[in-house]
Amino acid sequence: MVKNKNTTSPHQQHRNNSLMQKLIWIVFYVLIYNCATAQVKGIADSSTNKNIQIQYLHSDSLVGTMLEGVPYNRLLGNVALEHNGTTLNCDSAHLYQDKNYVEAFGNVQINTASGAQISSEYLKYTGNNNMAYMKKDVVIIDGNNQLQSDDVNYNTITKIAKYTKGATLQSDNTQLTSNEGIYNGKTKDAYFKGDVVVTDAKYNVDSKEMKYNTVTKFVTFLDESTIVTENTTIQGKKGTYDAAKEIGNFNTRSTVSNDEQDITANTMHYEKKTGISNAAGNVVMNDYKNNRQLLANKTNYNEQTGYMKAFGDVIMYDEKEGRTMFTETVEYYKKSKYTVATKNVLLYDSAQNSILQCNQLQFNQYLHLTLATGNPILRTLADKDSLFIRADSFFSAPANGIDTIKKFVVPNINPIDSNEVVNDSLHITLLGLGHVIIFSDSMQAICDSISYSQNDSIFKLFKKPILWTRANQAIGDTIWLRTVNNKLSQLNLLSNASMISDTKHTNMYDQIYGDKIDGYIVNEALDNMFVDGSAESIYYNKNDNDEYIGMNKTKSAQIRIVMKERKVNRISFYSLPEGGLIPMDKIAEADKKGAAFVWLEDKRPKTKYVVVGGEKEAVGSQQSADGSQQSEGSKKKTAAKKKKNKAKTRK
């Protein structure tokens, strides 16, 4: 009898197969768990794998699973991992052993080997390159620096954090925000771009793009930026600002400003603590308090002392005074309101319609004092007859500050400690001192010194003055000239006065002498004269055919002479006259000239070039009243206005 080898029923056999399959799966999971545990806890031999593996430390549960054929472990509850000295804690995580990669969720906390502390709600971390990508409520604390964002990439070894969706960096008392940036925890250097805002107790910054070091407080600007300190604002595009030392340097067009003024230039150096600023390249300085604008190639300024120096093609426009000045160098002292301009100075005064040229010009705004030296030339502009005046120096001051020109000494016009303000309504007196020369088409004069008062528009000529008008020569110890619109309207010859006219005939001169002579001018010609004291007249009479018939030589206490068509028309004597008409053939040589006769035509300035320099006696250079003088005045006035307009638009 043969026994049946398989006595198991089909049902029992199926049951046994099921148990075997379950046993196989249990063994498989045990193997996977043991393998995973070994991989998580183990460290690869450095000779075969250069990457340090992420180490599993703890979790409440661990479940091995697969995603699209890739195995990973699900770690749930109080997860703790470690990698290369950096620890990670979170609520849950997915650990990919093959990729040396972990994805963490909820209350993510990272403590790096270098001491940085990081928190977020979500993390992706790659062990092979030590890169962490974090989202939502990201906070990186590194010493005194704290970075906050919702989206950050961070390298735990290099300590470099990058963000592109906005962040805030807090460093001690300084806070920085921007749209995107890079922060290096090792070097403490940071790069910010897009709506950068820096807030600090001492300064604030707005920028499009900049670099910043949280230790040195050194800022590098890469695009348009604004720095605001306690009372100063700096605007520039590219440059640096040392916040610790409060020093700024910009190499593109920039502006430093405060409540009273601003400076704009192509390059700028500014020191907050010392108040020093150096600017170069198309410099524009606006003084809002004093209504002044200055343009130059270079300026040095100290806002603490108020001292400023400008160089190269300087233009200064004073709106309050109506003055525009052109020069090579200007120095300004704010405390004393003293300004000195040097070399090739030209000052256009729109109120007085005049131009002053010299090599040095000083003026004090407080005291209303002005001193021009170095071959100064003053031009009063008119449409048809400009007046040119030259002297060794010109000085102007309030009229009550000048007692007499004979005793006058130019004062120090820069009293450093002075803050006295002279009444703006006071009339100004102008003095010309030393070797004075005056020229216009209708009038010329020389003297040692001259004064002009805005109050009465009178020129006063002192020390051997000589005046010429057409064919007339006037002399007196002192001469007063009253003008209206730059035209001579009245002259007064004071003491030892004489008026001599050339008849254009050889050795024949009409003459008037007296203690004082007053002459009245109408249409640029003598209309009448009054001689007071020891009056004497010598003039040649003509008949109706314009032929000379004799010489009238008369003396009297006072004489009135009335002119018509530039000729003597009537003479009136105020006391019994002595003398009379001498026929032409009876005139002796001794009778032709008075005792004080002197003819000084050789000293007469013949052209404007005697005043302004250059060709002194050029033939034909003296033009008519509607000729070159009109052109000269118009050209200078137009040029000054063009330069003033250019100054306003250079900024």
Side-chain angles (χ1 to χ4, degrees), residues 88 162 196 201 217 262 272 290 301-302 344-345 393 415 452 500 511 525 558 611 642 645:
L88 166 67
K162 298 181 180 180
V196 185
K217 308 296 184 182
D262 62 46
K272 172 66 176 176
N290 297 296
Y301 179 68
N302 188 317
N344 298 325
V345 184
S393 64
Y452 173 76
I500 302 174
Q511 304 158 55
Q558 295 174 319
V611 179
K642 285 183 177 179
N645 292 333

Side-chain angles (χ1 to χ4, degrees), residues 350-384:
S350 61
Q352 298 298 318
N353 202 25
S354 65
I355 292 177
L356 174 64
Q357 289 179 273
C358 59
N359 279 321
Q360 186 180 79
L361 179 65
Q362 306 173 62
F363 50 90
N364 188 302
Q365 191 175 8
Y366 271 145
L367 306 179
H368 296 275
L369 304 178
T370 302
L371 176 63
T373 55
N375 195 29
I377 301 169
L378 177 64
R379 315 179 191 193
T380 57
L381 305 176
D383 291 336
K384 293 184 178 181

Side-chain angles (χ1 to χ4, degrees), residues 129-180:
N129 57 13
N130 306 290
M131 286 300 302
Y133 168 68
M134 296 166 285
K135 290 179 62 176
K136 193 175 181 181
D137 297 331
V138 182
V139 177
I140 302 175
I141 300 175
D142 183 19
N144 295 328
N145 301 323
Q146 178 176 295
L147 180 69
Q148 293 177 289
S149 179
D150 278 334
D151 195 296
V152 176
N153 284 300
Y154 183 75
N155 190 300
T156 58
I157 300 300
T158 64
K159 301 179 70 174
I160 295 176
K162 298 181 180 180
Y163 60 90
T164 59
K165 297 182 179 179
T168 298
L169 176 63
Q170 186 74 36
S171 177
D172 295 325
N173 296 323
T174 304
Q175 179 178 283
L176 303 95
T177 63
S178 66
N179 294 338
E180 57 183 283

Side-chain angles (χ1 to χ4, degrees), residues 292-307:
R292 284 183 173 182
Q293 184 183 62
L294 180 140
L295 295 89
N297 292 336
K298 182 180 178 181
T299 61
N300 298 331
Y301 179 68
N302 188 317
E303 66 180 4
Q304 294 182 6
T305 64
Y307 172 76

